[in-house]
Amino acid sequence: MVSLSQRQQNHFTDRIRRIEQGGPNTSGTIYAGIDGAEHRRRRKVRQRISGKGVLGRLFMLPFSLALGAGLMLVGRIAVFHALADPELIPPEKLEMFRLTADIGIATLLALVLVPLFSVGHGLRLVLFMAGFLGVMLGEATIISKVPGPFSSMFSEDYVQTAIATAPKDPFSPEALGL
């Protein structure tokens, strides 16, 4: 078997020889027009994205949901404890901090953890966002269902206020602020 470079060199020297002899300087076949022959399509070989099997991929789905919910919860806890110290946030920035800081903290953490755990595509991303929005919109309902762990993360007063303001139907437009 002859290598590609050797074949090209042989083809080139044959062509030079034909030119020197005054013959046609083609390789013998001229193609013109549309090729009507049926050609087999090459199949793309699908590469596995990671070394995980089916169970690993299935595990990532509830993990993505829990990661989204956990990050938003961490943002809420961080803002609660930051607001507990009155000297930490200037009074003129207090309202803006109260409105946006939890989402900002959770988003900054997500920028690091989403690529780290390969959660940023497909159904994993959808479940991540569902967990994120679930805590963001339904925190009061979640606290009213399970108040025990939240009283250790926040305070007893915060949990009592959340239970008092929790809507009866968490999926009503009023509960979502609409």
Side-chain angles (χ1 to χ4, degrees), residues 14-143:
D14 290 344
R15 189 169 182 168
I16 295 293
R17 201 174 314 120
R18 283 195 308 273
I19 290 171
E20 288 172 349
Q21 292 173 357
N25 62 352
T26 64
S27 61
T29 306
I30 298 175
Y31 295 104
I34 298 174
D35 184 13
E38 291 289 324
H39 296 286
R40 233 174 35 140
R41 291 183 120 184
R42 286 187 174 186
R43 287 184 127 188
K44 288 184 180 180
V45 177
R46 190 169 178 194
Q47 299 288 330
R48 288 184 73 175
I49 294 173
S50 64
K52 299 177 199 133
V54 174
L55 290 176
R57 289 187 211 150
L58 287 176
F59 167 75
M60 287 303 289
L61 297 178
F63 177 76
S64 300
L65 183 72
L67 183 65
L71 288 180
M72 189 62 206
L73 188 61
V74 166
R76 291 277 167 103
I77 292 169
V79 167
F80 173 77
H81 288 293
L83 291 174
D85 184 11
E87 297 175 4
L88 187 63
I89 310 297
E92 62 272 3
K93 308 236 183 208
L94 189 63
E95 191 60 34
M96 183 60 83
F97 183 81
R98 185 176 287 134
L99 288 173
T100 60
D102 55 350
I103 297 170
I105 292 168
T107 302
L108 287 175
L109 289 172
L111 287 174
V112 174
L113 295 178
V114 164
L116 182 68
F117 291 115
S118 299
V119 175
H121 58 279
L123 187 57
R124 293 177 188 176
L125 181 61
V126 171
L127 289 172
F128 174 82
M129 290 307 297
F132 196 92
L133 288 172
V135 170
M136 188 173 158
L137 298 175
E139 178 190 20
T141 305
I142 296 169
I143 290 174

